[in-house]
Amino acid sequence: MKTAMSIKEISSKLKTVSEPEDSFLKECQEDGRKGVTDLVSKWQRAYEKELQVKNNFMKMTEFERELRKQGFSVLAGIDEVGRVI
């Protein structure tokens, strides 16, 4: 990093990073301080978790998306207790 930011400042700025190709994240990955490497690891775990959540959502809605492509606009179902949803 050009000027040494504090761990707190880095933590705040990492919260705005949304993609692994971000230049600030790459700079942080090259920072040798343990606090920064811990923050980068935490960011990577959160990013992976978010990807997993998105992938799970896409799998769960695959049936609905296919029906919408076929022209259906209203979908209904019954949950495991028998309530109409």
Side-chain angles (χ1 to χ4, degrees):
M1 294 189 179
K2 296 168 187 73
T3 60
M5 295 174 70
S6 72
I7 302 297
K8 187 174 181 179
E9 291 171 325
I10 291 171
S11 177
S12 278
K13 190 161 181 180
L14 276 176
K15 290 177 184 175
T16 66
V17 174
S18 60
E19 294 297 322
E21 297 83 24
D22 187 275
S23 61
F24 179 71
L25 181 63
K26 291 193 182 295
E27 287 179 32
C28 290
Q29 290 169 332
E30 296 171 1
D31 193 311
R33 295 178 286 176
K34 180 170 177 11
V36 178
T37 56
D38 289 347
L39 287 172
V40 169
S41 294
K42 182 179 176 182
W43 183 92
Q44 290 171 330
R45 286 190 306 273
Y47 180 76
E48 290 298 323
K49 185 176 181 181
E50 181 66 26
L51 283 180
Q52 189 62 44
V53 167
K54 287 179 183 179
N55 287 335
N56 288 344
F57 178 78
M58 293 304 286
K59 285 179 186 176
M60 290 188 300
T61 60
E62 185 175 344
F63 182 71
E64 289 90 343
R65 285 183 283 115
E66 184 59 39
L67 289 173
R68 289 188 195 284
K69 284 181 189 175
Q70 294 176 21
F72 291 91
S73 61
V74 178
L75 303 175
I78 299 176
D79 70 3
E80 63 276 358
V81 180
R83 296 176 293 217
V84 176
I85 52 175

